[in-house]
Amino acid sequence: MVLTGQHLIAANIIASSHGTFRAVNPTTGEPLECEFHEGGGEEVAIAADLAERDFDTFRQSSDIKRGELLETIAAQLVELKDPIIQRAHLETGLPLPRLEGELNRTVNQLKMFSQFVQHGHYKSTRIDPALPDREPLPKPDLRLSQIPLGPVAVFGASNFPLAFSVAGGDTASALAVGCPVIVKGHPAHPGTSELTGVAIQRAVQKSGLPGGIFSVIQGSGHEVGTALVKHPQIKAVAFTGSQAGGRSLFDLAAARPDPIPVFAEMGSVNPIFILPQILKENSQLLAHKYSESLTTGVGQFCTNPGLLFAVKGDDLSAFIAAVKEYLSQMNPLPMLHVGIKQNFNTKLEQLTSVRGVSRLVGSETPTTLDCYALPALLFLTADDFLQEPRIADEVFGPSSVVVQCESKEQMLVLAENLQGQLSATVHASIGEDDFCRQLFAILEKKAGRLILNDFPTGVEVCPSMHHGGPYPATTDSHFSSVGTTAIHRFLRPVCYQNFSKELLPRELQKNQD
Ligand code: NAP
């Protein structure tokens, strides 16, 4: 399939005149085929007006119809699977089997939202029948349902070019409830964005729904994103990406004359606590699994274990020696793009310069600007950790910090000092249950997913998953884009008082004769 490099706005392909940019193959440093048009405020205004124009038709379509739309998008993705995966491979350097798995995940996510919405119970309706004889005052008939917010701006992250991008959970959950979507294409994978966007455009056309419910605008800088978040027709923002990006879009949305919600899912260091008994029993296996978890996907996961706490002693020394051995044998691997690699180096440099930090694994910063990176392991004591909050900042890439505690009781203090996280993990033996309970009682306040004797990388997509957490993991800890609760981000409640059956929304018409 030939790429156009243009924006997909409603059912059309639209050029713009603000210049062009190219994607770069991170494994070779070569620019890839096709110039992509830089979007701006003008394209945003066209897409937003069309989204608003078609919002009423879309929101009034049936749950079955919208469910079918998601199924058709899934089918179109499968039809375009080969070109999508090939292009994503060139743009991200991610291995083909990983991308194939991610495409399947994206397809399954769409099907999950389709089934959920067609089931029809997602509006959490409530009915309080009238009590005309109530004293001292009669009670009116009150019924609650939910309606979609309006057009949603979606921002995907570079590390999931399919599952957290154009056709990812944000788009699927917004379309599921009748919100038009305008995606800001990620500048690191514009070709993948165009191809997945075409799959959605085709599905919208096949379903007979109006074209304005879906657009993709490309851009290599902040202009498109800023214009989208400020546009008065946009009623919510769904973002996956860095803390800096999520926070600035959140502040921008809050500064609008009519502030809108921003559901930003950002980075995290996903702390792991290894209790003394299990460390004694299993130090080698734990070292192996931890090393694997922190280097999978060249460490480019929001669930990467960036912090590990354990009590000092021979068992910790043996654990560290095994991790050092594993990591030292790894070859450099390409990160997603040069910006991410430079950021990785800069942040590692900053952490290494903190008082008390030693770098146990990881070469000096390479001077070349290519995308290849080696894993790094840093070490410091709990007392030094408590002096320097920067140590708990995300370093996006294959690195982690081991914090040596004086005692397991000190772990409780460290846990209390953590900021919000996507996940928190404890490794414990059966005999360590009492302490484990105390630790989880603290961690429950800090993270959206608690893990026992497992590792945080690998997020299962199913209704009970929660991939969120208190700030700065997200800007709204109630919700996550993973799992069916994601749709509640784009709905708001409306109460209907004293309505006749004929005027009530269909889902509220029961018990009204
Ligand atoms: P990013 O640099 O924040 O970019 C995400 C998107 O936001 C891009 O389209 C980017 O486009 C745009 N953007 C960023 N800052 C902006 C600003 N100030 N104004 C307007 N637009 C802005 O993130 P990334 O490097 O692609 O992704 C890696 C990060 O995502 C990591 O921190 C990782 O932990 C996180 N992540 C989180 C999750 C999760 O579920 N919590 C999942 C995957 C990844 P421009 O650069 O063109 O502006």
Side-chain angles (χ1 to χ4, degrees):
M1 215 187 133
V2 181
L3 292 168
T4 68
Q6 299 183 23
H7 314 290
L8 308 176
I9 298 187
N12 305 307
I13 297 169
I14 291 185
S16 55
S17 54
H18 321 291
T20 57
F21 68 100
R22 275 176 186 261
V24 173
N25 183 333
T27 61
T28 62
E30 299 292 326
L32 288 164
E33 171 215 343
C34 192
E35 302 268 357
F36 288 87
H37 292 227
E38 291 277 9
E42 213 176 298
E43 289 71 31
V44 166
I46 297 170
D49 285 346
L50 291 169
E52 177 58 26
R53 180 199 68 188
D54 291 340
F55 174 45
D56 277 338
T57 311
F58 191 36
R59 78 186 184 93
Q60 283 156 10
S61 64
S62 69
D63 292 335
I64 302 288
K65 181 91 184 157
R66 278 180 272 106
E68 284 167 1
L69 167 66
L70 298 184
E71 294 279 351
T72 314
I73 296 173
Q76 288 297 317
L77 284 179
V78 172
E79 206 164 291
L80 290 181
K81 179 177 163 185
D82 289 342
I84 290 174
I85 289 180
Q86 289 299 336
R87 180 71 191 193
H89 177 59
L90 291 175
E91 290 184 334
T92 63
L94 293 171
L96 291 169
R98 143 80 201 264
L99 289 165
E100 189 145 341
E102 196 181 322
L103 189 119
N104 289 340
R105 170 181 169 170
T106 311
V107 163
N108 289 336
Q109 262 169 204
L110 285 155
K111 291 182 175 173
M112 178 185 73
F113 284 114
S114 165
Q115 280 160 18
F116 187 65
V117 83
Q118 293 197 52
H119 200 251
H121 297 316
Y122 67 93
K123 289 186 178 164
S124 316
T125 54
R126 287 164 174 74
I127 297 180
D128 285 310
L131 297 173
D133 301 328
R134 192 181 70 173
E135 292 294 345
L137 289 171
K139 175 174 176 281
D141 185 276
L142 293 162
R143 293 168 188 241
L144 187 75
S145 189
Q146 314 238 18
I147 63 162
L149 289 178
V152 173
V154 168
F155 295 76
S158 56
N159 60 334
F160 280 95
L162 304 171
F164 285 90
S165 192
V166 174
D170 286 328
T171 297
S173 53
L175 292 178
V177 296
C179 291
V181 166
I182 303 175
V183 181
K184 192 277 173 169
H186 198 291
H189 54 256
T192 313
S193 298
E194 181 178 326
L195 292 170
T196 39
V198 166
I200 300 179
Q201 245 187 357
R202 286 181 183 173
V204 172
Q205 206 166 17
K206 272 180 186 285
S207 70
L209 285 161
I213 65 171
F214 178 74
S215 296
V216 180
I217 306 176
Q218 306 276 14
S220 68
H222 295 346
E223 198 183 334
V224 172
T226 305
L228 264 177
V229 174
K230 287 167 105 171
H231 198 284
Q233 310 285 24
I234 296 295
K235 299 300 180 206
V237 177
F239 170 94
T240 310
S242 63
Q243 209 184 100
R247 181 63 204 229
S248 45
L249 296 179
F250 178 85
D251 290 342
L252 210 57
R256 284 173 44 136
D258 57 334
I260 53 170
V262 175
F263 303 102
E265 297 193 3
M266 302 174 286
S268 180
V269 284
N270 307 293
I272 294 183
F273 293 80
I274 304 187
L275 302 193
Q277 187 57 37
I278 199 155
L279 188 62
K280 183 181 281 308
E281 293 162 2
N282 265 337
S283 71
Q284 298 304 297
L285 182 65
L286 286 168
H288 183 85
K289 294 264 182 204
Y290 164 66
S291 308
E292 228 172 42
S293 182
L294 83 86
T295 53
T296 306
V298 202
Q300 298 165 115
F301 287 121
C302 51
T303 49
N304 202 47
L307 263 184
L308 183 137
F309 302 95
V311 177
K312 76 174 181 191
D314 293 346
D315 301 323
L316 179 57
S317 303
F319 171 87
I320 289 174
V323 176
K324 277 171 74 172
E325 195 185 335
Y326 184 106
L327 298 183
S328 310
Q329 285 168 7
M330 292 194 71
N331 292 319
L333 286 168
M335 298 191 78
L336 289 155
H337 58 82
V338 122
I340 282 198
K341 161 68 188 312
Q342 285 168 343
N343 218 14
F344 176 65
N345 277 347
T346 308
K347 290 223 166 137
L348 266 183
E349 290 289 319
Q350 282 167 357
L351 289 199
T352 310
S353 68
V354 165
R355 198 175 72 95
V357 170
S358 48
R359 194 154 165 169
L360 303 181
V361 179
S363 56
E364 264 75 70
T365 312
T367 49
T368 53
L369 290 186
D370 67 15
C371 295
Y372 284 73
L374 279 165
L377 186 71
L378 308 184
F379 173 89
L380 85 170
T381 65
D383 290 336
D384 285 332
F385 177 85
L386 289 168
Q387 299 301 315
E388 184 45 85
R390 270 187 303 161
I391 293 292
D393 287 349
E394 182 192 44
V395 178
F396 190 62
S399 86
S400 192
V401 181
V402 174
V403 181
Q404 175 183 276
C405 309
E406 284 302 309
S407 65
K408 64 180 185 184
E409 285 68 30
Q410 196 179 26
M411 285 183 175
L412 302 175
V413 179
L414 293 159
E416 283 287 8
N417 273 275
L418 289 172
Q419 52 183 2
Q421 305 288 338
L422 293 170
S423 74
T425 299
V426 178
H427 284 271
S429 258
I430 296 168
E432 296 178 298
D433 275 2
D434 284 346
F435 186 77
C436 214
R437 225 170 263 120
Q438 285 182 59
L439 193 49
F440 274 130
I442 299 170
L443 294 176
E444 189 163 75
K445 296 183 284 181
K446 306 287 178 181
R449 179 165 58 113
L450 299 176
I451 301 165
L452 178 64
N453 293 338
D454 203 349
F455 285 84
T457 36
V459 173
E460 192 63 44
V461 180
C462 63
S464 46
M465 172 52 70
H466 183 66
H467 186 51
Y471 186 84
T474 70
T475 49
D476 190 331
S477 61
H478 298 91
F479 301 105
S480 157
S481 67
V482 181
T484 48
T485 56
I487 66 165
H488 296 296
R489 299 173 301 168
F490 307 124
L491 291 167
R492 72 174 175 83
V494 176
C495 171
Y496 300 84
Q497 180 169 337
N498 207 27
F499 267 50
S500 62
K501 181 174 180 179
E502 293 67 32
L503 291 180
L504 276 169
R506 205 172 311 121
E507 69 274 12
L508 293 179
Q509 288 178 1
K510 53 195 156 195
N511 310 327
Q512 258 269 31
D513 295 316

